[in-house]
Amino acid sequence: MCGIVGLFLKDKSLEPQLGAMLSQMLISLSDRGPDSAGIAIYGAPSKNEAKITIQSAKPDRDFRGLEAELAKAIGTPVTIGVKSTHAVVRTTPAKIDEARETIQALRPDIRIMGAGDVVEIYKEVGLPEAVVDRFDVCKMTGTHGIGHTRMATESAVTTMGAHPFSTGADQCLVHNGSLSNHNNVRRELIREGMTFETENDTEVAAAYLSSQMAHGKNLGEALEGTLSDLDGFFTFVVGTKNGFGVVRDPIACKPAVMAETDQYVAFGSEYRALTKLPGIDNARVWEPEPATVYFWEH
């Protein structure tokens, strides 16, 4: 079944509340997915910093000493901020790809949740309330974010199987539904050079969008492509460095509702996810149309 949420802020005065607002939205949908939960937060950009969110099942072992080892290996200062099973690695943008490769060489059991200039991704097995509390998401600030609570239907209940999935810099996706042609699309993307961490169909959708944008399409154009190239039932909510997008398949059997005010654009699998947002009583509220792309950019 799954529950998905998204929030794109237009009003900068709300940015300190992004984590709290998105957390409340996700927690309200907990009964739609008891298996795992995750959130991606897009923070303020920094010209001299990029970051990698990493995860370990044994953080005491894997994170210990990593900061010094990584800085020495790539020849550039590194800082690592640990949050439970996750950590955010910060270094210069020029060294981000080298840092990512070196982390996996130094600590093979560490998993990369996402990387880029602004995004941080936190996801684990468990209910949304436990996940957002574990990572202090309510204290996080930012411009936009997406979240997911999962009811597994076709792959294992693991941290890596949780959403969001990130397959490109500052790109991530959450999904409610099931893709029927994901194995064929996966093979095509592997031939292009894409790599996959899981057997989850949602990772294929994320990789498809990353591939489309790598070939020069913007987010809206990439989302249009899902309507012809991906088969099945799906609602996707997608984040990029500057953007936020939504698309539903042509049948649109998965529930979805959106709201827009002068302050924000919000998405929820059900209206109850939106009820505590500021000004919701005066918002334009609608059900997104089937086979229609909606996207906003800062």
Side-chain angles (χ1 to χ4, degrees):
M1 186 163 61
C2 300
I4 52 180
V5 297
L7 187 59
F8 179 88
L9 299 180
K10 303 177 185 179
D11 183 349
K12 291 184 70 67
S13 71
L14 291 178
E15 291 180 9
Q17 303 174 49
L18 176 68
M21 294 166 70
L22 199 60
S23 294
Q24 186 279 321
M25 293 171 69
L26 190 59
I27 289 169
S28 74
L29 298 180
S30 295
D31 59 354
R32 293 190 63 85
D35 299 326
S36 59
I39 277 185
I41 297 285
Y42 288 83
S46 170
K47 292 182 180 179
N48 300 315
E49 182 181 87
K51 44 192 177 179
I52 307 167
T53 311
I54 59 176
Q55 184 270 352
S56 172
K58 296 181 179 179
D60 290 341
R61 179 198 67 187
D62 287 336
F63 297 158
R64 187 186 307 119
L66 180 60
E67 183 174 285
E69 291 178 53
L70 181 59
K72 181 179 179 181
I74 68 174
T76 300
V78 170
T79 63
I80 298 181
V82 176
K83 286 187 177 182
S84 185
T85 57
H86 288 46
V88 177
V89 180
R90 289 176 166 84
T91 189
T92 60
K95 288 286 188 175
I96 196 71
D97 291 334
E98 184 180 354
R100 181 172 181 154
E101 294 173 3
T102 304
I103 289 168
Q104 295 182 306
L106 292 172
R107 301 287 195 278
D109 292 336
I110 279 179
R111 294 292 176 260
I112 307 293
M113 298 289 101
D117 293 335
V118 294
V119 73
E120 296 181 23
I121 298 174
Y122 300 92
K123 59 184 187 178
E124 274 293 1
V125 172
L127 288 167
E129 185 171 11
V131 172
V132 300
D133 285 348
R134 169 181 258 182
F135 300 117
D136 290 328
V137 176
C138 289
K139 297 177 183 178
M140 297 184 70
T141 67
T143 57
H144 55 297
I146 63 176
H148 187 273
T149 184
R150 184 180 184 222
M151 179 177 286
T153 57
E154 46 69 48
S155 59
V157 178
T158 64
T159 300
M160 294 307 295
H163 305 208
F165 280 92
S166 179
T167 54
D170 287 314
Q171 298 171 15
C172 63
L173 175 147
V174 293
H175 170 209
N176 183 20
S178 181
L179 301 180
S180 57
N181 68 333
H182 62 97
N183 286 323
N184 289 337
V185 176
R186 186 194 307 270
R187 284 191 288 269
E188 293 173 8
L189 292 170
I190 289 172
R191 283 195 289 269
E192 289 185 18
M194 300 291 289
T195 59
F196 292 87
E197 295 269 5
T198 74
E199 296 299 315
N200 195 295
D201 60 341
T202 304
E203 188 179 11
V204 174
Y208 170 85
L209 292 176
S210 295
S211 173
Q212 294 292 300
M213 287 186 276
H215 285 90
K217 293 185 178 181
N218 65 25
L219 175 58
E221 292 167 338
L223 288 170
E224 287 281 358
T226 66
L227 298 171
S228 57
D229 293 341
L230 301 182
D231 292 334
F233 303 117
F234 58 83
T235 297
F236 298 137
V237 178
V238 182
T240 66
K241 183 176 181 178
N242 300 311
F244 169 79
V246 173
V247 67
R248 303 171 81 194
D249 69 83
I251 296 176
C253 66
K254 297 300 181 181
V257 62
M258 299 192 72
E260 184 171 15
T261 72
D262 291 339
Q263 293 184 296
Y264 59 80
V265 179
F267 175 95
S269 291
E270 299 179 35
Y271 179 71
R272 57 178 158 151
L274 313 180
T275 57
K276 294 186 179 180
L277 293 174
I280 190 64
D281 291 341
N282 299 313
R284 180 173 76 93
V285 178
W286 77 100
E287 180 181 348
E289 294 290 332
T292 302
V293 171
Y294 302 84
F295 79 105
W296 293 259
E297 291 184 310
H298 287 119

